[in-house]
Amino acid sequence: MTGTDLPIGAHKRAARLRAIVHVLASICIVATGNSLLTTVVSLRLSDPAIAPDVVQFLLTAFPIGFLAGCLSSRFLVARFGHERTFLAVALLAAFAAVGYMLTASSPVWFGLRLLNGFAIAALFVVSESWINLYADEKNRGAYFSLYMLMTSLATLFAQLLVEVAGPVSPYLFHIVFVVIAAGLLYARLVAGSWPPINLLPPAAREITPSRHRFGIIKLALLAPVTVVGVFQAGMTNMNVYTMTPIYAERVGLSATMAVSLATAFSLGGMLAQAPAGWLSDRMDRRILLLLQGLAAMAFCAVIAWPGMRPDGLLYGLFFAYGAIALTIYPVAIAFANSQLDSHQMVSASGGLLFLYSIGNIMTPGVAAGLMEHYAPHALFLLLGTGALLVAAAACVNLLRRASPANKPFLVSGEQQ
C-alpha cells in the first residue's frame, strides 16, 4: 500500500458518510413525528374519563400493527425499493395524525393505531436494512450506531416538543402532522435520492425464495447472540420506560426522581452509541457482546441490591446501565448482518424487529407479576437475567468453529 492510498481510502469513506447524512436526518425527523404521535396518544388515553376496557382495546392495536409492519416490509421493499417505501409509510403516518384530529371514535382510533404501529415498524425495517446494505464490514457498526443515535434523538426531541407545547395542548396532533410533513419535504427537496447501493446484487431486488429467507429460526442457528440480544433489547427498553415509575413509587422515590432515572438511562444509551459502534468495527463483536452482557448484568445486580442510595449514585447507575444495555442491539444487529448475504438482510431485519416487538409485548406483564409477588427490585433481576442470557449466547457463538471470513457483497457475475 502506498502512502497515497490511505488518504484516498479515507476520502472515500468520508464521502460515503456524507452521502448518508441527509438520509439519517430524514429518518430522525420522521421518527420524531412518529415518537411524538405515540406519546400524544398515550397522554390522551390516560384521561380518567376513558373506560379501562376501551384503553386496553386501543393499546392492543399498536403492537398488532407493528407486527404486521415487520412481516410485510420485506415485500414492500422488494416491490418498491427502500426509498419509495420509506416515503410511502411516512406519508401513511402523516395521514394517521390527521385522522386523530378529525374524530375521537374508538373504532377509528383503533385503525389509526394499527397504521401507526405498521408505519413505525416499516420505517425501522427499511432504514436498518438499507444502512446495512450500504455499509461494509469496516464501518457497519459505526453507521448503525449513527442510526441508533438518530432514533434516540428522535425520542428526545419528541419529549421536548410535548414539554414545550404542554401535555394538554389541543394542538399536539397538529404538531405531529407538521413534523412528519417536514420530514417528507426534507427527504424529497433537500436530501434528494438515497445514495445507490452499487454492490447490491440483482437478486436482492426480488422477493427472496423461501429457502433463502432468514427467519428467526435460521437466525438463531446462525447467530444466537443476535436473537437473544434483540429480544433482550425489546424487553429492556419497554420495561425500563414503563415500569421504572412503579419501581420508584414502591421503593419510596418521587415521581420526579423516576422521570430523571429514565432520562439518565436514555442519555447514557445515546452518548454511548458512537463509542460502541467504533469498538464493534475494531474487535470481535461476539467478545464485545459478552462484555456488554456481563456489565449490564452487574449494573442490574447493583441497582437491585436492597437499601437506600444517594440520588447521585442512582443517576450514575442508570446512566451506566443505559450506556451498556442500549448499545447491545446495534452491536448484535451488526454481527448478524456481517454473517449474511446482502439479499437476506431485509427479511432478517423484519424477523429481528418482530422478535424485538415480542420482547416489548410479553415481558412487562412478567415484570409486573414479579414485582407484585416478590419485591420491586425483581424488575432489575429480570433485566439482569436477560443480560446474562446475552453473555451466554455470546459464549455459544465464540465456542463454535470460527466463521468463514466475511464475504464482500459481489456484483452479479463477479467472482470472489
Side-chain angles (χ1 to χ4, degrees):
M1 179 179 290
T2 65
T4 58
D5 288 334
L6 289 176
I8 293 175
H11 174 74
K12 288 183 178 180
R13 288 193 295 271
R16 286 173 65 86
L17 180 59
R18 287 194 301 270
I20 70 167
V21 166
H22 288 307
V23 175
L24 292 173
S26 300
I27 292 170
C28 182
I29 297 171
V30 174
T32 297
N34 272 296
S35 180
L36 178 59
L37 180 58
T38 301
T39 301
V40 174
V41 171
S42 298
L43 289 171
R44 294 293 185 264
L45 294 180
S46 65
D47 187 344
I50 302 177
D53 57 335
V54 173
V55 173
Q56 187 62 38
F57 169 71
L58 294 176
L59 287 177
T60 59
F62 183 89
I64 293 173
F66 194 97
L67 293 177
C70 293
L71 295 173
S72 60
S73 296
R74 183 178 62 84
F75 297 97
L76 294 174
V77 170
R79 178 66 179 85
F80 302 107
H82 289 85
E83 181 180 2
R84 284 190 290 176
T85 301
F86 176 87
L87 294 173
V89 294
L91 187 61
L92 186 66
F95 279 125
V98 174
Y100 287 108
M101 303 178 204
L102 300 178
T103 180
S105 168
S106 295
V108 175
W109 273 42
F110 184 89
L112 295 173
R113 290 278 290 167
L114 284 173
L115 293 178
N116 189 201
F118 178 89
I120 289 181
L123 286 171
F124 287 164
V125 172
V126 170
S127 302
E128 292 179 15
S129 62
W130 182 86
I131 289 172
N132 276 309
L133 286 169
Y134 185 76
D136 57 40
E137 183 55 25
K138 293 181 179 179
N139 56 30
R140 180 170 288 112
Y143 281 11
F144 203 83
S145 292
L146 285 174
Y147 160 73
M148 293 297 294
L149 177 61
M150 292 300 103
T151 59
S152 299
L153 286 174
T155 302
L156 179 61
F157 291 156
Q159 302 308 311
L160 291 175
L161 287 171
V162 171
E163 291 187 14
V164 170
V168 296
S169 171
Y171 302 108
L172 286 174
F173 286 123
H174 300 75
I175 297 174
V176 170
F177 175 76
V178 169
V179 172
I180 297 177
L184 283 167
L185 290 174
Y186 181 90
R188 292 302 299 156
L189 302 180
V190 179
S193 298
W194 290 20
I197 306 172
N198 296 324
L199 298 182
L200 180 64
R205 304 187 194 107
E206 304 171 359
I207 296 179
T208 308
S210 58
R211 66 181 181 276
H212 296 309
R213 294 175 192 166
F214 254 79
I216 294 175
I217 294 178
K218 288 186 177 180
L219 283 166
L221 295 174
L222 174 71
V225 68
T226 294
V227 170
V228 176
V230 167
F231 181 84
Q232 180 270 347
M235 176 178 71
T236 300
N237 289 2
M238 179 60 70
N239 281 290
V240 169
Y241 291 119
T242 60
M243 305 305 292
T244 294
I246 299 174
Y247 162 81
E249 186 271 332
R250 293 186 180 180
V251 298
L253 301 176
S254 66
T256 302
M257 181 69 172
V259 174
S260 298
L261 291 176
T263 301
F265 178 82
S266 297
L267 286 174
M270 184 177 69
L271 295 176
Q273 292 300 331
W278 184 86
L279 273 176
S280 74
D281 288 334
R282 287 161 176 80
M283 64 181 293
D284 191 323
R285 294 187 179 106
R286 297 169 297 177
I287 295 177
L288 180 56
L289 287 164
L290 171 62
L291 296 175
Q292 287 175 301
L294 293 175
M297 180 189 66
F299 282 119
C300 284
V302 174
I303 295 172
W305 194 267
M308 298 300 295
R309 296 172 181 79
D311 290 354
L313 177 58
L314 272 177
Y315 290 140
L317 288 172
F318 271 77
F319 180 91
Y321 177 49
I324 300 298
L326 293 179
T327 54
I328 289 176
Y329 181 85
V331 177
I333 293 287
F335 172 71
N337 281 288
S338 70
Q339 309 299 305
L340 298 176
D341 291 328
S342 57
H343 61 280
Q344 298 166 332
M345 287 185 178
V346 176
S347 60
S349 293
L352 289 171
L353 279 171
F354 177 86
L355 188 64
Y356 179 92
S357 67
I358 294 297
N360 267 217
I361 295 167
M362 292 178 57
T363 56
V366 175
L370 290 173
M371 294 171 69
E372 181 68 28
H373 288 93
Y374 296 101
H377 301 88
L379 168 64
F380 291 97
L381 295 179
L382 174 66
L383 298 179
T385 300
L388 176 61
L389 291 176
V390 172
C395 289
V396 171
N397 269 118
L398 282 166
L399 291 173
R400 288 178 173 178
R401 187 174 54 186
S403 300
N406 296 318
K407 299 180 296 182
F409 301 151
L410 303 176
V411 180
S412 180
E414 286 187 354
Q415 295 182 352
Q416 189 172 342

